[in-house]
């Protein structure tokens, strides 16, 4: 591609690569190195010893970490699933012409624009067992017979957190899909309609090929975020009740900053990254196969 | 270009002039870290600090307040980042063992011995500072959990005296529930956090329990097992508020102050807050006694929830830091702000200036302070507490029996590295 006389693309990329190496590359290399040591947060690197795979063995034989992995996968699948579903539905709706569409499109961005911490505190207030609005609404409409603690019950706590996360993040999916819909060729819809295709069939053959690739990108982004989830859970439940909402990232945080074992914390972090990478690989495959011709 | 250069020069000169003008003699700045809940309020700390700055011209103290849950992280993160972040930090009684191991706080043994008559301060307070014979700071907040009760509700139920044993508490609560005075008579801070360990440790101490047997974790035995069984039973009987499983101390205070509970286990500060018309519906109806005991074991029980002020190892102002913490912990300052946190000084408890308006609290404190017990003392306390929090919650939410949950806690604690 390079034309004679043009500047090598590597030279143009050099400043960015240097910054990336400093702010991403160096910490990554250090994290990998730390994961095989017994380094302590306050001991300094000088006191660290090589321990081989000990940290990984400790993590993977820890029943609590394994159940946290299950909780994280549950959270990721459920929240990304619903975000995708609502995102696509809302995008299709906002793609229709109706009065007030612009206002609705603007409103769509609001939940996503909230900082996660604010969103988490807001939902904690909504779920508050004594004066929370959710209890009030459900009790006054007769759905519930009395107030209950949503975040204090291990059976409902994770679902309550998922709902809070879906509310905040489905707009991202909706926005990406909505943008893709702008590219949907109007004449194809016309042709499909003339051929007698119903609404569902039109979605299948015209809309889906247009929105699928960007949607998959959105799903990849959301999945990685969901597997790393920490902040919303930390604010809403701190991992309780009975560890029902404790996710993998809690172990990274606890090991590193509570128990001061950064070596061990790094190994937990790498395990989380590996799981993310497996997922991304699967998605990439899907993306390549699902690519419309 | 020339213009820019002279601009910089002007700014530089102005800045220089500013610092020279603002510093009569030697200006020193301290960075101090406090918590934004329980005990002394932000305002109290600001006022104390203001007095300190007035008494020491040229001194500035920058205050930072964080929730209790973030205090430990802030202290260690600042140390890990190079150590000169904070000069003075507030720390909990459960941390000195770990801090001593990792060199977080300055050893002030010589200063303590030279300046303070340690016998005038309660031993329970000193346990915030003492580890392995060395002092790592000064005790400041002498705190334990008391049993608060709503005098109105007890009178309505025909209960003449507050419970003296934990069994009596359950029985009294049952009467109150049966008479439909309140749905859930007792409220606790049983969220998966340090708070639940404090309540558990109080009840364990009442049952004469210990945490280790010959250095091995023994949470599934004796008083510790009795404590968790008691907690679970109180939920099953419907006398404990089921939402306790997601409450921290502030939630407990709000429920009790709103008149939605007859009994609450909470720290000292809850007394003044429950009698504050701006924040409470039960002003003048607040009773307080030491946490109960167990027949055949104890008369009363208390967990040592004290906190101390330390100077960080990385501080470049240790002398000023010492002056500051000496000032904050002095009997004079503590007596002046005794509404939300009682002094560490023994003689204060007979000083009318301190006891006035809170006689019942001070009377309860005299008993409670003498029986204060410590949570497990180990450099791995953070890990042990995390294990206990999870397993106690497993029992409270019926995911495991108390025996099974605590046996699991033993196993996990034995596995610690």
């Amino acid at each position: 591609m390079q034309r004679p006389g043009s500047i090598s693309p590597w030279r143009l990329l050099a400043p960015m690569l240097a910054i990336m190496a400093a702010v991403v590359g160096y910490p990554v290399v250090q994290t990998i190195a730390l994961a095989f040591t017994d380094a302590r947060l306050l001991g300094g690197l000088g006191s660290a010893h090589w321990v081989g795979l000990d940290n990984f063995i400790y993590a993977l034989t820890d029943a609590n970490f394994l159940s946290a992995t299950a909780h994280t996968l549950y959270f990721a699948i459920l929240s990304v699933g619903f975000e995708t579903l609502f995102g696509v539905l809302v995008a299709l709706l906002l793609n229709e012409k109706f009065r007030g569409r612009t206002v609705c499109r603007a409103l769509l961005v609001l939940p996503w624009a909230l900082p996660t911490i604010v969103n988490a505190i807001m939902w904690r207030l909504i779920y508050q067992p004594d004066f929370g609005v959710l209890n009030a609404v459900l009790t006054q409409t007769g759905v519930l017979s009395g107030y209950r603690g949503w975040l204090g019950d291990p059976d409902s706590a994770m679902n309550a957190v998922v709902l809070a996360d879906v509310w905040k993040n489905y707009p991202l999916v909706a926005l990406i899909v909505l943008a893709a819909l702008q590219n949907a060729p109007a004449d194809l819809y016309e042709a499909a309609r003339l051929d007698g295709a119903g609404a569902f069939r039109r979605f299948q053959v015209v809309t889906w090929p247009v929105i699928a690739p960007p949607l998959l990108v959105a799903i990849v982004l959301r999945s990685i975020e969901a597997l790393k989830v920490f902040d919303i859970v930390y604010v809403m439940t701190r991992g309780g009740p009975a560890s029902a909402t404790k996710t993998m990232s809690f172990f990274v945080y606890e090991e590193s900053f509570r128990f001061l074992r950064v070596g061990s914390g790094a190994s937990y972090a790498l395990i989380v990254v590996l799981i993310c990478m497996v997922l991304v690989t699967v998605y990439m495959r899907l993306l390549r196969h699902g690519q419309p011709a | 270009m020339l213009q820019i250069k002279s601009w910089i020069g002007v700014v530089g000169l102005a800045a220089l002039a500013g610092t020279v003008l603002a510093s009569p003699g030697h200006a020193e700045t301290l960075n101090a870290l406090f918590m934004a809940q329980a005990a002394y309020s932000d305002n109290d700390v600001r006022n104390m600090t203001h007095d300190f700055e007035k008494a020491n011209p040229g001194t500035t103290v920058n205050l930072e307040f964080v929730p209790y849950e973030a205090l430990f992280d802030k202290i260690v993160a600042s140390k890990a980042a190079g150590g000169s972040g904070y000069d003075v930090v507030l720390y909990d009684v459960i941390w000195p063992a770990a801090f001593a191991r990792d060199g977080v706080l300055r050893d002030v043994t010589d200063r303590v011995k030279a300046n303070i008559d340690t016998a005038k301060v309660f031993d329970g307070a000193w346990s915030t500072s003492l580890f392995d014979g060395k002092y790592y700071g000064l005790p400041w907040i002498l705190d334990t959990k008391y049993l608060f009760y709503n005098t109105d509700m007890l009178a309505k139920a025909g209960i003449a005296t507050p419970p003296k044993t934990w069994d009596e508490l359950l029985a009294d609560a049952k009467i109150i529930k049966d008479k439909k005075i309140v749905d859930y008579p007792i409220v606790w801070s049983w969220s998966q956090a340090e708070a639940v360990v404090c309540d558990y440790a109080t009840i364990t101490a009442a049952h004469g329990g210990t945490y280790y047997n010959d250095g091995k974790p023994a949470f599934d035995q004796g008083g510790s097992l009795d404590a968790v069984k008691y907690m679970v039973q109180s939920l099953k009987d419907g006398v404990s508020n089921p939402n306790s499983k997601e409450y921290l101390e502030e939630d407990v205070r709000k429920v009790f102050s709103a008149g939605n509970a007859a009994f609450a286990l909470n720290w000292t500060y809850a007394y003044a807050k429950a009698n504050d018309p701006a924040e409470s519906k039960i002003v003048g109806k607040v009773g307080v006694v030491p946490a109960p005991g167990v027949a055949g074991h104890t008369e009363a029980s208390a967990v040592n929830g004290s906190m101390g002020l330390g100077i960080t190892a990385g501080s470049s102002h240790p002398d000023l830091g010492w002056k500051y913490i000496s000032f904050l912990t002095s009997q004079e300052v503590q007596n002046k702000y005794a509404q939300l946190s009682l002094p560490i000084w023994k003689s204060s408890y007979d000083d009318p200036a301190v006891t006035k308006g809170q006689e019942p609290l001070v009377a309860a404190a005299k008993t409670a302070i003498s029986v204060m017990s410590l949570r497990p003392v180990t450099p791995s306390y953070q890990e042990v507490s995390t294990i206990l929090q999870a397993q106690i919650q497993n029992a409270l939410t019926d995911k495991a029996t108390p025996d099974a949950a605590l046996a699991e806690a033993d196993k996990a604690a034995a596995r610690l590295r």
Side-chain angles (χ1 to χ4, degrees):
Chain A
M1 284 303 276
Q2 199 178 343
R3 287 200 198 101
S6 70
I7 314 169
S8 144
W10 287 109
R11 272 164 66 191
L12 284 171
L13 283 173
M16 194 269 287
L17 288 177
I19 294 172
M20 291 287 280
V23 302
V24 180
Y26 173 69
V28 167
V29 171
Q30 204 187 24
T31 304
I32 294 172
L34 279 175
F36 297 94
T37 69
D38 61 355
R40 296 185 53 81
L41 183 63
L42 303 180
L45 285 181
S47 60
H49 305 98
W50 177 265
V51 294
L53 287 171
D54 276 11
N55 288 332
F56 291 94
I57 293 167
Y58 185 85
L60 295 174
T61 53
D62 182 353
N64 294 323
F65 180 66
L66 296 180
S67 73
T69 309
H71 295 150
T72 314
L73 289 174
Y74 177 86
F75 174 86
I77 292 168
L78 216 59
S79 66
V80 176
F82 278 111
E83 278 155 30
T84 309
L85 184 67
F86 291 136
V88 171
L89 289 178
V90 169
L92 289 174
L93 191 67
L94 290 181
N95 196 41
E96 296 297 316
K97 284 202 175 72
F98 61 92
R99 196 192 281 259
R101 183 174 74 165
T102 322
V103 176
C104 287
R105 282 185 179 181
L107 285 177
L108 175 67
V109 192
L110 278 183
W112 189 58
L114 278 185
T116 309
I117 302 294
V118 174
N119 181 54
I121 292 173
M122 183 185 84
W123 279 93
R124 202 173 65 189
L125 289 174
I126 292 173
Y127 291 131
Q128 215 284 340
D130 305 297
F131 51 80
V133 72
L134 184 66
N135 275 322
V137 167
L138 292 182
T139 311
Q140 282 163 26
T141 52
V143 178
L144 268 188
S145 57
Y147 281 30
R148 54 164 294 182
W150 299 92
L151 297 174
D153 180 347
D155 296 328
S156 64
M158 185 54 109
N159 292 334
V161 177
V162 167
L163 178 59
D165 190 68
V166 169
W167 185 83
K168 176 176 158 44
N169 286 315
Y170 86 88
L172 173 72
V173 181
L175 278 178
I176 290 176
V177 174
L178 190 57
L181 283 172
Q182 312 302 308
N183 292 330
D187 48 346
L188 273 188
Y189 282 108
E190 199 66 23
R193 198 169 284 134
L194 285 176
D195 286 345
F200 183 74
R201 184 81 185 130
R202 285 204 301 276
F203 174 81
Q204 206 183 1
V205 297
V206 186
T207 313
W208 180 249
V210 176
I211 63 170
L215 181 62
L216 269 170
V217 172
I219 292 175
V220 170
L221 285 178
R222 284 301 313 141
S223 301
I224 293 174
E225 289 286 310
L227 286 173
K228 294 190 306 187
V229 67
F230 178 76
D231 40 10
I232 192 169
V233 184
Y234 185 78
V235 174
M236 287 182 73
T237 63
R238 287 179 314 278
S243 308
T245 59
K246 208 162 176 180
T247 60
M248 294 189 291
S249 292
F250 267 81
F251 285 78
V252 182
Y253 156 74
E254 280 182 352
E255 286 289 322
S256 304
F257 300 110
R258 275 268 132 120
F259 311 155
L260 314 179
R261 289 193 290 261
V262 278
S264 171
S267 70
Y268 281 96
L270 285 183
I271 293 171
V272 177
V273 170
L274 276 179
I275 294 176
C276 287
M277 278 167 69
V278 168
L279 195 87
V280 170
T281 316
V282 171
Y283 281 137
M284 296 284 266
R285 285 267 161 82
L286 279 178
L287 205 60
R288 225 169 284 147
H289 286 289
Q291 201 80 277
Chain B
M1 206 57 200
L2 191 74
Q3 264 178 335
I4 294 175
K5 265 190 189 157
S6 50
W7 221 130
I8 294 172
V10 170
V11 173
L13 272 179
L16 202 64
T19 40
V20 171
L21 284 178
S23 56
H26 54 293
E28 274 192 281
T29 303
L30 281 181
N31 293 313
L33 181 68
F34 292 93
M35 71 171 175
Q37 73 198 56
Y40 298 113
S41 67
D42 303 11
N43 256 341
D44 284 357
V45 177
R46 283 204 179 87
N47 290 336
M48 293 173 195
T49 304
H50 190 66
D51 292 344
F52 175 75
E53 287 171 336
K54 260 203 298 199
N56 296 275
T59 304
T60 319
V61 185
N62 295 326
L63 301 176
E64 191 176 332
F65 297 90
V66 297
Y68 171 81
E69 303 293 320
L71 197 54
F72 181 85
D73 304 14
K74 278 270 186 185
I75 295 171
V76 297
S78 124
K79 156 90 179 160
S84 56
Y86 300 109
D87 299 290
V88 168
V89 293
L90 175 68
Y91 65 89
D92 202 352
V93 61
I94 49 194
W95 301 336
F99 282 178
R101 175 193 59 195
D102 291 315
V104 176
L105 297 176
R106 209 170 268 264
D107 177 353
V108 292
T109 311
D110 296 340
R111 293 183 198 260
V112 171
K113 288 195 170 145
N115 295 301
I116 294 169
D117 181 357
T118 52
K120 287 186 172 168
V121 172
F122 287 103
D123 286 344
W126 282 122
S127 52
T128 56
S129 315
L130 261 176
F131 181 73
D132 227 7
K134 288 183 184 142
Y135 291 88
Y136 290 95
L138 291 175
W140 189 40
I141 298 165
L142 176 57
D143 214 344
T144 186
K145 286 209 168 184
Y146 299 95
L147 182 69
F148 294 92
Y149 60 96
N150 185 313
T151 52
D152 229 22
M153 289 183 185
L154 263 62
K156 262 189 216 159
I159 299 165
T161 52
K164 288 203 169 54
T165 68
W166 288 100
D167 285 339
E168 276 176 44
L169 174 65
L170 283 192
D172 288 351
K174 191 92 181 35
I175 297 172
I176 292 169
K177 188 180 173 78
D178 289 345
K179 292 196 173 169
K180 296 201 183 336
I181 296 169
V182 65
D183 286 344
Y184 297 109
I186 321 175
V187 59
W188 317 78
S189 50
W190 288 351
S191 172
Q192 190 165 350
E194 190 57 37
V196 71
V197 180
C198 293
D199 286 8
Y200 149 83
T202 307
I203 309 174
T204 299
H207 287 83
T210 52
Y211 306 103
Y212 289 91
N213 231 343
D214 293 333
K216 282 199 190 117
F219 300 110
D220 64 341
Q221 296 163 26
S224 162
L225 177 62
D226 292 339
V228 176
K229 278 185 174 164
Y230 179 90
M231 294 160 82
V232 171
Q233 192 57 44
S234 80
L235 281 170
K236 288 207 170 121
D237 290 350
V239 293
S240 283
N241 189 325
N243 297 330
S244 298
K245 288 173 284 179
E246 58 179 290
Y247 285 157
L248 290 174
E249 290 90 339
E250 264 296 87
D251 304 300
V252 170
R253 178 182 78 76
K254 282 174 188 158
V255 170
F256 181 72
S257 290
N260 291 334
F263 298 102
L265 201 64
N266 213 338
W267 306 106
T268 307
Y269 85 115
Y271 188 73
K273 293 264 186 178
N275 279 316
D276 175 358
E279 299 201 38
S280 169
K281 290 183 188 161
I282 56 163
V283 176
K285 299 171 190 164
V286 186
V288 58
V289 285
V294 169
H297 283 295
T298 47
E299 299 282 316
S301 55
V303 62
N304 192 333
S306 303
M307 297 182 83
L309 290 168
I311 305 164
T312 59
S315 169
S316 44
H317 308 285
D319 293 328
L320 188 63
W322 173 258
K323 227 170 162 181
Y324 182 51
I325 68 175
S326 303
F327 178 82
L328 291 186
T329 57
S330 68
Q331 189 161 19
E332 191 189 340
V333 172
Q334 289 217 304
N335 287 357
K336 189 171 160 191
Y337 294 93
Q339 287 295 315
L340 291 171
S341 182
L342 293 171
I344 57 170
W345 304 90
K346 292 176 184 169
S347 61
S348 293
Y349 290 66
D350 297 312
D351 182 342
V354 171
T355 57
K356 191 166 178 292
Q358 50 183 356
E359 290 83 358
L361 177 69
V362 174
K366 280 184 176 171
T367 310
I369 289 168
S370 64
V371 298
M372 278 202 308
S373 69
L374 289 167
R375 284 162 271 173
V377 179
T378 153
S380 306
Y381 181 77
Q382 296 289 326
E383 286 97 319
V384 171
S385 171
T386 303
I387 292 167
L388 282 173
Q389 291 166 27
Q391 294 306 336
I392 293 170
Q393 279 240 323
N394 277 344
L396 295 179
T397 55
D398 241 359
K399 278 174 78 178
T401 62
D403 296 86
L406 290 171
E408 204 53 49
D410 282 355
K411 253 203 302 196
R415 190 173 178 262
L416 286 179
R417 299 181 286 181

